[in-house]
Amino acid sequence: MRIRFVAFVVLVLVVSLLTFAATRSLAQGPEGGATPQGETAIQAAVGTAFTYQGRLTDNGNPANGTYDFQFKLFDAATGGAQVGSTVTVEDVTVTDGVFTVQLDFGGSAFDGNARWLEIAVRPGSSTGGYTTLAPRQALTPAPYALALPGLWTQQNDTSPNLIGGYSGNSVTDGVVGATIGGGGTADDGSGNPVPNRVTDDYGTVGGGWGNRAGDDAGTTTDARLATVGGGYFNTASGYVATVGGGANNTASGYVATVGGGWINTASGYYATVGGGLGNTASGIYATVGGGVNNIAAGASSFAAGQRAKANHNGTFVWADSQNADFASTGSNQFLIRASGGVGIGTNAPQNQLHVVEFVDAIGTPQNHVAQIENTADSTNADGLAIVIQTSNAPTGANNYITFFKADGPDAGTDPDSVGAIEGNGAGSVVLAGPGSDYAEWLPLRRSTEVLEPGDIVAWTPQGITRNTTQALRLMVVSSNPIVAGNAPPQEERNGWAPVAFVGQVPVKVRGPVQAGDFVLPSGRNDGTGMAVSPSALRADQIGQVVGRALESTSGTGLHTVKVLVGLPQTDILQAMLVQRDAQLAALEARLDALERERGWVRLPGLAPWLGLGLLVGVVLARRWKEVER
């Protein structure tokens, strides 16, 4: 018998890559439960079998009867390798040469590469060998299948797997709902195949090569829903873990994410590494934003930059480009290493911390550039600490706080200092600055009265005023206090003025002044004063002394003279005693002259008052003689 095979029609080839179009639409929950959408039951999968129809001739005539067939699938027209197993179909009825069979070479037989069908046949009543027909028959796809080269499906009753790209890409047996979009290669440049793989249910590899979705632990359910977007040698091995791309990245924690970069690891539950190099987020809810060799090991910690180590819970650590570790030392810290400075409101910080803001409002706490608040309601509550690392007593060169005014053309680079809190060289600090008196805010007697620095004012029970006739004490409105106590709120200061209690104060004075003169009110009640020399000061003027002039001026007009205010009464009394001593000395000189005129000799040891008494007696005697005449 000479048997000849003739291809009658190249089958109705329902290749597995088309089966997904006929399967049901399902939404899979995180635990794998199927939720039908728009259907009342799960439809059966199409499967991987297909129908093949051919024509068989026997001695040149159409065959009739029963025949046994063997079908093999190869990857080449001649030679090559067999794909899948051999399919044997016995007792096939052939009528007028035409026969039809169902063939199934398995879900991995058709991966988008070309396939050739080899057929062997024998009479159905025979138990002998099969006659192989030649040539092999090329299996061609249905026209619509040509639009999807390199894609194939693996059928199952739950959710078919879709595989694309390199023929070596694979989905582990038993896995459902897996997707390999493409990628993979037989040669990575060194002759090594690097396929993409999905080892757990509903895993996805978008592309690239050498990527794996799933933990490949032997069960298909413990790392479900893992995703690798692309790149190479990335692994998403945690449940719902994701690696977006890059290279050699691993997302092994539950719902962990590595966005990209190189050699990054997100091993903590819900941990995230955005990218960069050599970063690790190992704490639960930990995050590494990027950078190099950063670690977020604490729960809910954050690290970024270079060699930042957030080792404790709730810590935020940012490290600049210095090649050295910068690590947290306790929980809930916010740490920054920025050798170029931290700028808030400025992109050119001039210090480790430089804050810039525009605030033009009443001085409430929120209307300042910065605010430090201690919410502890306790007698032990403190605010701001400033530490200078010095083993010696801090000196004036150790400024704890320096105050500047930013004005003039060089305000941004060289502002002027207006004061400082600095060391005093003896183990304490002082308030240093150009201010020259210690003042206190006092209310005005009449809120409509306008007072100016340098005005002499009277302090009365009703407030201060230029009218000095009812003064409890005479004072001067301060021009430049270094301390101003009793300050009212900023918005209420229109009815108040700072008055100097002690210090050097510019005072308005009329007429010439000599340094050392006493300054008293001029009597005009206009805030001006006048100078009185110590030798001319009367006893009834002691209570009117405002202070003592520290500088001289000439002329009869109005001058501003620096005056030392807050004098103790001893200073004024001393001036009066000097004046009295001078008068006594003059009287003694007159007494000596009279004694010498009369030839008297003064008795030694008598007090000057005795001489004064004798002088008075002589004067009275002379007047008595004049009366008798």
Side-chain angles (χ1 to χ4, degrees):
M1 178 184 69
R2 192 175 70 178
I3 299 175
R4 183 181 178 193
F5 169 81
V6 178
F8 172 70
V9 64
V10 183
L11 60 115
V12 179
L13 182 56
V14 187
V15 186
S16 60
L17 59 85
L18 296 178
T19 61
F20 71 90
T23 57
R24 72 272 181 233
S25 173
L26 296 178
Q28 297 292 337
E31 298 303 321
T35 305
Q37 296 182 350
E39 301 182 24
T40 58
I42 298 176
Q43 299 178 2
V46 172
T48 58
F50 60 93
T51 300
Y52 182 83
Q53 190 177 73
R55 173 169 288 183
L56 183 66
T57 62
D58 189 357
N59 292 321
N61 298 313
N64 286 282
T66 59
Y67 293 85
D68 297 335
F69 290 88
Q70 281 188 341
F71 299 90
K72 296 180 181 179
L73 201 61
F74 286 86
D75 60 4
T78 59
Q82 183 176 348
V83 178
S85 58
T86 300
V87 178
T88 300
V89 184
E90 297 181 341
D91 298 327
V92 176
T93 299
V94 180
T95 304
D96 293 330
V98 177
F99 67 91
T100 302
V101 293
Q102 294 289 320
L103 302 179
D104 190 350
F105 293 101
S108 60
F110 297 98
D111 58 5
N113 293 306
R115 295 289 183 259
W116 283 262
L117 186 65
E118 182 180 276
I119 304 174
V121 64
R122 72 182 181 185
S125 58
S126 174
T127 58
Y130 287 84
T131 299
T132 301
L133 305 180
R136 293 172 182 171
Q137 301 297 306
L139 297 182
T140 58
Y144 282 107
L146 291 173
L148 300 170
L151 284 174
W152 66 100
T153 60
Q154 292 179 343
Q155 295 296 316
N156 58 70
D157 292 335
T158 303
S159 179
N161 303 317
L162 177 63
I163 305 173
Y166 168 50
S167 61
N169 294 341
S170 66
V171 174
T172 299
D173 289 343
V175 168
V176 299
T179 300
I180 298 178
T185 181
D187 185 356
D188 63 356
S190 300
N192 302 312
V194 279
N196 292 320
R197 302 170 56 208
V198 176
T199 66
D200 287 72
D201 293 344
Y202 307 102
T204 299
V205 175
W209 74 40
N211 300 312
R212 188 184 81 213
D215 60 5
D216 199 19
T219 177
T220 66
T221 59
D222 58 346
R224 287 179 166 182
L225 304 166
T227 300
V228 176
Y232 59 94
F233 299 121
N234 297 310
T235 301
S237 58
Y239 192 101
V240 201
T242 301
V243 176
N248 298 102
N249 299 308
T250 300
S252 58
Y254 180 87
V255 198
T257 301
V258 175
W262 187 29
I263 319 178
N264 298 307
T265 301
S267 57
Y269 278 25
Y270 309 100
T272 300
V273 176
L277 167 65
N279 299 307
T280 300
S282 56
I284 185 171
Y285 308 114
T287 300
V288 174
V292 182
N293 295 331
N294 300 302
I295 295 175
S300 302
S301 62
F302 177 92
Q306 179 166 334
R307 296 179 66 174
K309 313 299 183 193
N311 295 324
H312 300 81
N313 296 345
T315 54
F316 179 107
V317 181
W318 163 263
D320 60 12
S321 60
Q322 298 180 59
N323 190 22
D325 286 353
F326 183 62
S328 64
T329 57
S331 298
N332 305 315
Q333 295 177 336
F334 189 100
L335 307 177
I336 299 173
R337 181 182 69 195
S339 57
V342 177
I344 301 177
T346 176
N347 61 359
Q350 300 175 15
N351 316 86
Q352 272 289 287
L353 177 62
H354 188 179
V355 183
V356 176
E357 177 62 289
F358 179 85
V359 179
D360 184 12
I362 298 299
T364 58
Q366 61 271 27
N367 288 334
H368 287 76
V369 172
Q371 180 180 159
I372 297 174
E373 180 179 0
N374 184 345
T375 59
D377 185 6
S378 167
T379 56
N380 294 323
D382 300 308
L384 177 65
I386 300 176
V387 178
I388 294 178
Q389 293 290 346
T390 176
S391 57
N392 301 316
T395 67
N398 299 122
N399 287 5
Y400 286 83
I401 300 176
T402 306
F403 306 94
F404 294 92
K405 64 175 181 178
D407 58 0
D410 61 349
T413 58
D414 188 23
D416 297 327
S417 171
V418 295
I421 297 176
E422 60 188 34
N424 66 355
S428 185
V429 295
V430 295
L431 175 60
S436 56
D437 65 77
Y438 294 81
E440 184 173 316
W441 286 83
L442 297 176
L444 274 61
R445 184 171 183 176
R446 297 188 307 275
S447 60
T448 57
E449 185 174 9
V450 178
L451 300 184
E452 298 177 348
D455 280 348
I456 295 175
V457 295
W459 186 10
T460 72
Q462 294 78 28
I464 57 175
T465 177
R466 284 176 172 174
N467 189 338
T468 59
T469 57
Q470 298 179 351
L472 295 179
R473 182 172 177 181
L474 291 165
M475 310 181 79
V476 180
V477 177
S478 176
S479 298
N480 187 23
I482 193 169
V483 174
N486 194 40
Q490 188 76 36
E491 63 273 16
E492 298 178 10
R493 293 185 181 180
N494 286 339
W496 295 64
V499 175
F501 273 69
V502 65
Q504 303 176 48
V505 187
V507 179
K508 297 176 182 179
V509 182
R510 295 184 182 277
V513 180
Q514 291 295 321
D517 284 354
F518 289 103
V519 176
L520 289 71
S522 66
R524 300 184 181 209
N525 296 324
D526 60 356
T528 63
M530 64 179 183
V532 177
S533 66
S535 61
L537 184 67
R538 303 191 307 269
D540 62 322
Q541 294 177 320
I542 292 177
Q544 301 179 46
V545 173
V546 174
R548 200 161 191 177
L550 297 176
E551 56 188 358
S552 302
T553 184
S554 60
T556 59
L558 183 63
H559 312 285
T560 299
V561 179
K562 187 177 293 185
V563 176
L564 177 62
V565 302
L567 286 175
Q569 291 296 325
T570 55
D571 192 12
I572 303 173
L573 292 175
Q574 181 181 5
M576 295 296 296
L577 288 175
V578 169
Q579 180 181 352
R580 187 211 64 183
D581 288 345
Q583 292 172 346
L584 287 177
L587 289 174
E588 285 185 344
R590 292 179 61 187
L591 180 59
D592 287 341
L594 290 173
E595 288 174 346
R596 286 193 296 272
E597 181 180 348
R598 297 290 188 267
W600 295 354
V601 179
R602 295 185 62 190
L603 298 177
L606 293 180
W609 292 106
L610 179 58
L612 179 61
L614 291 174
L615 177 61
V616 172
V618 171
V619 172
L620 291 176
R622 284 183 176 180
R623 289 186 178 180
W624 179 259
K625 289 181 179 179
E626 292 175 356
V627 170
E628 287 181 345
R629 293 175 184 171

